Amino acid sequence: MSDAFDHWPAPPPQGWTADDLDRLPAGGPNGEPDFFERVELIDGALVFAASQTRFHQRVLAGLTVGLKTHAPEHVAAVNRMDVKLGHRMRPCPDVLVVDKVAADDDDRAFYTPDEVHLVVEVVSPESEDRDRKTKPSRYAEAGITHFWRVENNDGSPVVYVYELDPATRVYGLTGIHHERLTVPVPFPLDIGLGNLPR
């Protein structure tokens, strides 16, 4: 990893790779604690996420609990785990539904698209373009069947639900949910959005 840091803070000449994320130190290149704790790889560039708002935390926790409650035995809901989409693409979605076998492996640092059934991104002001444009198109290209985007509408979550068209590898909008999130896939689910835990 030392050669990648030879050019810090500029990226290495070939850009960062998905495997580089597994070799990042606990602290930053100048000893900053937790420097790489909330970092993603987007098109070969390290992207550092801003601190989460309370809305973000509340929605993430509420959806994770709801998904865990309704999930069939062969899948599991996890949060803040990477998905390795390619050599230079390793985003870290807010919530995922993955194969239970993969979720039970405590040594995993990332999942592969074939293990992922659903990706959920909670949009923040600093991540709008990534969560609305870049990441969804990459998840679709990788073949992840279900994608949800959560927006903040004056303090209330609105969930935009998408499903993959396997012929075009493009997501189609299947619903916009305000007070309740009720969907039949990837498994039957009914979550009250208006009363997520505070």
Side-chain angles (χ1 to χ4, degrees):
M1 187 59 199
S2 61
D3 59 337
F5 275 118
D6 289 347
H7 303 276
W8 186 265
Q14 76 283 2
W16 297 93
T17 70
D19 293 335
D20 286 336
L21 268 63
D22 294 323
R23 296 188 291 271
L24 294 175
N30 298 311
E32 305 90 339
D34 302 323
F35 187 80
F36 293 108
E37 185 175 319
R38 294 180 41 81
V39 65
E40 301 180 282
L41 183 71
I42 307 293
D43 294 327
L46 297 181
V47 176
F48 294 85
S51 297
Q52 291 181 349
T53 63
R54 179 64 184 126
F55 172 85
H56 198 116
Q57 290 179 330
R58 184 167 61 86
V59 171
L60 190 154
L63 288 180
T64 302
V65 169
L67 285 163
K68 285 182 177 181
T69 301
H70 291 83
E73 291 184 3
H74 68 282
V75 296
V78 298
N79 50 31
R80 301 296 307 162
M81 284 289 291
D82 293 356
V83 180
K84 188 175 181 181
L85 301 180
H87 185 59
R88 300 189 186 286
M89 194 73 180
R90 189 167 151 179
C92 184
D94 289 305
V95 185
L96 303 98
V97 171
V98 300
D99 291 336
K100 180 97 167 57
V101 172
D104 286 344
D105 183 353
D106 288 339
D107 293 327
R108 298 289 291 271
F110 62 85
Y111 300 113
T112 57
D114 60 304
E115 297 169 319
V116 179
H117 301 270
L118 167 68
V119 168
V120 182
E121 294 285 5
V122 182
V123 177
S124 299
E126 60 86 23
S127 69
E128 285 179 354
D129 279 348
R130 292 191 306 276
D131 291 343
R132 292 174 179 168
K133 298 174 185 173
T134 307
K135 289 184 184 182
S137 66
R138 298 306 174 82
Y139 296 142
E141 289 168 5
I144 297 172
T145 308
H146 301 281
F147 171 71
W148 298 351
R149 189 184 80 243
V150 184
E151 300 274 353
N152 183 345
N153 182 20
D154 293 327
S156 297
V158 178
V159 182
Y160 295 78
V161 173
Y162 298 86
E163 189 169 345
L164 184 68
D165 177 342
T168 62
R169 293 273 177 136
V170 173
Y171 286 126
L173 181 67
T174 61
I176 302 174
H177 303 262
H178 294 266
E179 290 299 318
R180 295 202 75 77
L181 173 60
T182 305
V183 294
V185 289
F187 45 82
L189 177 74
D190 185 12
I191 300 174
L193 298 174
N195 59 359
L196 292 178
R198 290 198 171 271

